[in-house]
Structure formats: structure tokens, C-alpha cells
Amino acid sequence: MAQKETSAHIPIIADVRRKTFKPVYLLMGEEPYYIDLITEEIIRHALKEEDRDFNQTIVYGADTDMTTILTASRRYPMMSERQLVVVKEMQMMRSIDDLLLYLQNPQPTTVLVLNYKNGTLKNKKIVAEINRQGIVFESKRTYDSQLPAFVNNYVHDKSLGIDDRASSMLCEAIGTNLSRLAGEIDKLCVLLSLSGEKRITADMVELHVGISKEFNNTELIKAISQRDLLKANRIIKYYGQNTKSEQPFIAFGSLFTFFANLLLLHYSSCPKNNNGIVSELGVNWYAADDYVRGLQLYKAGKCVEIISEIRRYDARSKGVECAPDTSIADLLKELVFKIMH
């Protein structure tokens, strides 16, 4: 049965936790987070701790071959109802064609997990046979618009809550690195458990993740949506004074996303209020406020002009037609002035 990742809630994990296993899993795709997550869940639940020494085999594609994998997979478990064979980084293997014969008659007491990262397996016969005998899971690349839902689901699964502003800060600063994003949330959740609180706030993110709640790209976009040049320049000045901050380097992408979404909203039939924008873009309520105001200040034609300027300044930030001593903060200051005028 083929399953594809659509959110942080994955049916495979529910089955694994119920001790319902398939003889083979192919976990592939561009987003490594879900591949690793499912693999660790299978490792955690497939065998009892005392059975792992004799019945668990974990190998890496660059250090193994198909003969070794097939030999391990055909073994019978020792004093256990099943054995587990995990192949990590399968994309590093030179040849996998011999796997097809095993898949046509897999060992029923073996759970074989194949991790194929940074792409999808191109051998259609093998994929089709795994799909018939077990599960093919494609972990697709995560987009910025999916991050708020990921954060909310991740926190909700821990029976905790998170403020929209805190969520926006994390999504904006960390981006689509889901492993790092989950790690920072885990750290905040541990702190919540120690304090007895139940909700992640912007103050917590600032204090424990190191993202200023006043000087970040979320607040820069808010200033632009309000045409508040003074506030925007204060944020950019902070960037110039804090050279270790990652915020200015991702600011061009954040600005591009904001104005590209504004342009989309101008031509969308969705209601131009918070509810309509949350539904259309997948952002949270805090970010939707910026789009409501931005629609009033920046008409469609202006958005097109701004997007062109963002692309030009992004190229300059990478050294294209730009003096070598020009700072990112200087470029951002010029760009923001042009956006607002």
C-alpha cells in the first residue's frame, strides 16, 4: 500500500506503534526528517530491547552491498517473532537490482526498511514490488507555507500550545530544516515541563532559541506591511550590529515570499480577511494580519515592481554588480526604502 506524507501525522507510525508491520518499507524523498522519524519509530517498536543484539541489523549504503543485505534479510529470527534489517542511505549503493528477486518472496519474519534520501528510487519494478508487498512512502520537500502547520501539529502532539508570534519566529528563523525546527521545539517543551507551563511564547523563543522577538524577519515584514520605515530601519540596524545573526541572509527570501503571496492574494477569490488568508496561504493568524494590511498598501502592480527589486538586491547580496565592501544591512536598507516609496 503506498502512502505519502501530507502532514506531521503519519499513518505508518500509528500502525508501527500497534505492532503492525509490513515485510518491507521503502522510505524515500527529498525531506529527510520524515524518513528518519519513521525509521526510528520502527527501530523502537519492532523488537524488544533484549532481542536487538541478535535480531537487529543496521547498515549504511556506502559500506555494504546487496548480497549482505539479502543474506541478513533471509535469516530467521533468534528467539523472537521477527528480525529487523535497516538500510540507511540506500542511495549510496551502486546496484540494487538483485533486490527484486527477494521482494517477490520476502521473508515473512523479517522487517526490511530501506532509506533512500535526496530523491526517489528510479527502478520502477522494485518500487512496484515493494508497493505490492509492503509500503512505499514518499517524503516530499517541505515548503515555507507548510511550516506553521508542522509547528502547531508537533507541539499539539505533545499536549502543549504555542503562540502564533512564537511560531512565526521559529518558522522564519529556522525555515524548512525540520530536524532543527523539531529539535528547538523539543528543547522548549522540556523547559515547559520544568516550569509547569503549557504554552510556548515569543519570550521563550527569544530567551532560549536566541531569536530576538523584536529584531527578526517576522517583525521586519510586519513593519513593511505597516509602512513603518523607522521600525524597519531599526531592525536592519540591529542586523548590521549583530553579524552572527542569520536573519539578514534569509531576509531577501522572506520578503520575496511575502510579496509573491500578496500578488497571489490580489488575484485570488478568497476573502481578504484573516480567515480567508489563513485558509489560502496556510499561515497563522499573526502573519495573516500582515497580509491584510499589505493588500491595502501594496497593489498588484507595485508588488510586481517590488518582486523585481528583491531579485536584483538578492543578486547584489551574492556579489553581482555590487561593491565588495557593501554590507547586507546596507542593501536591505536600500531595498526597504524602495519598497516603501
Side-chain angles (χ1 to χ4, degrees):
M1 177 179 63
Q3 296 184 18
K4 293 187 178 181
E5 174 264 310
T6 55
S7 73
H9 302 274
I10 303 172
I12 296 174
I13 291 178
D15 290 339
V16 165
R17 290 174 178 174
R18 289 194 295 266
K19 306 290 186 181
T20 302
F21 296 97
K22 298 290 185 179
V24 59
Y25 296 84
L26 172 59
L27 312 175
M28 63 180 182
E30 296 181 17
E31 177 50 71
Y33 172 79
Y34 292 106
I35 294 173
D36 291 337
L37 177 66
I38 295 170
T39 300
E40 291 308 312
E41 286 288 338
I42 294 174
I43 291 173
R44 186 176 298 114
H45 294 282
L47 297 170
K48 298 177 182 178
E49 183 71 35
E50 60 269 23
D51 293 335
R52 290 175 183 166
D53 287 343
F54 297 105
N55 295 294
Q56 178 172 287
T57 302
I58 299 176
V59 296
Y60 289 82
D63 303 323
T64 191
D65 54 43
M66 191 52 63
T67 299
T68 300
I69 295 169
L70 295 180
T71 299
S73 299
R74 289 184 174 120
R75 286 199 305 257
Y76 289 96
M78 294 183 62
M79 296 178 289
S80 175
E81 62 179 309
R82 70 177 67 90
Q83 69 153 342
L84 175 65
V85 179
V86 178
V87 184
K88 296 188 175 183
E89 307 288 350
M90 185 182 177
Q91 74 278 3
M92 302 295 293
M93 295 187 66
R94 292 184 178 181
S95 176
I96 61 170
D97 293 345
D98 293 341
L99 181 62
L100 183 61
L101 185 62
Y102 172 81
L103 293 172
Q104 291 170 348
N105 186 28
Q107 172 63 262
T109 54
T110 293
V111 176
L112 174 61
V113 182
L114 307 171
N115 285 4
Y116 195 101
K117 295 181 178 179
N118 305 318
T120 56
L121 186 60
K122 303 304 180 185
N123 190 315
K124 294 183 179 179
K125 290 184 178 179
I126 288 179
V127 173
E129 198 62 41
I130 295 174
N131 199 33
R132 186 176 71 86
Q133 297 281 5
I135 288 178
V136 175
F137 177 90
E138 183 179 353
S139 184
K140 293 185 176 180
R141 183 163 66 94
T142 301
Y143 294 95
D144 289 338
S145 61
Q146 297 171 303
L147 292 178
F150 172 86
V151 170
N152 288 338
N153 286 334
Y154 194 90
V155 174
H156 183 265
D157 284 348
K158 297 177 180 295
S159 300
L160 298 170
I162 183 169
D163 293 345
D164 281 349
R165 186 178 182 185
S167 174
S168 292
M169 289 169 63
L170 288 169
C171 294
E172 190 66 45
I174 298 174
T176 56
N177 184 337
L178 297 189
S179 296
R180 183 185 165 198
L181 190 55
E184 295 293 355
I185 295 171
D186 286 339
K187 180 170 68 176
L188 293 170
C189 289
V190 169
L191 292 168
L192 282 180
S193 69
L194 295 174
S195 67
E197 300 293 330
K198 292 291 185 181
R199 195 165 192 85
I200 297 171
T201 65
D203 287 336
M204 287 187 65
V205 174
E206 179 177 47
L207 181 62
H208 299 292
V209 183
I211 305 168
S212 169
K213 69 177 181 180
E214 299 295 338
F215 303 105
N216 58 67
N217 287 328
T218 299
E219 296 305 310
L220 177 61
I221 288 171
K222 187 169 292 295
I224 291 171
S225 75
Q226 297 169 344
R227 199 167 273 166
D228 187 340
L229 184 59
L230 179 61
K231 179 180 177 181
N233 282 338
R234 284 174 178 165
I235 294 170
I236 294 169
K237 182 180 179 180
Y238 175 87
Y239 289 170
Q241 294 171 340
N242 292 267
T243 55
K244 293 183 179 181
S245 173
E246 299 177 1
Q247 295 289 290
F249 297 97
I250 60 177
F252 297 102
S254 300
L255 291 170
F256 179 86
T257 298
F258 177 71
F259 282 100
N261 283 340
L262 268 190
L263 187 60
L264 182 152
L265 289 171
H266 274 298
Y267 293 104
S268 171
S269 60
C270 76
K272 303 304 189 288
N273 54 32
N274 287 64
N275 285 329
I277 291 169
V278 167
S279 177
E280 181 74 13
L281 300 180
V283 299
N284 60 40
W285 195 271
Y286 187 77
D289 282 338
D290 299 337
Y291 286 106
V292 171
R293 287 188 294 265
L295 285 169
Q296 298 169 359
L297 292 175
Y298 303 99
K299 302 305 179 185
K302 180 64 173 176
C303 287
V304 172
E305 294 175 10
I306 290 171
I307 288 169
S308 178
E309 287 291 344
I310 293 170
R311 285 173 169 164
R312 188 165 72 88
Y313 275 85
D314 182 46
R316 290 183 65 191
S317 75
K318 296 175 173 66
V320 178
E321 297 181 358
C322 185
D325 59 343
T326 304
S327 69
I328 298 292
D330 289 338
L331 291 174
L332 277 173
K333 189 174 182 179
E334 285 182 27
L335 174 60
V336 169
F337 181 86
K338 290 186 177 184
I339 287 173
M340 294 193 192
H341 292 83

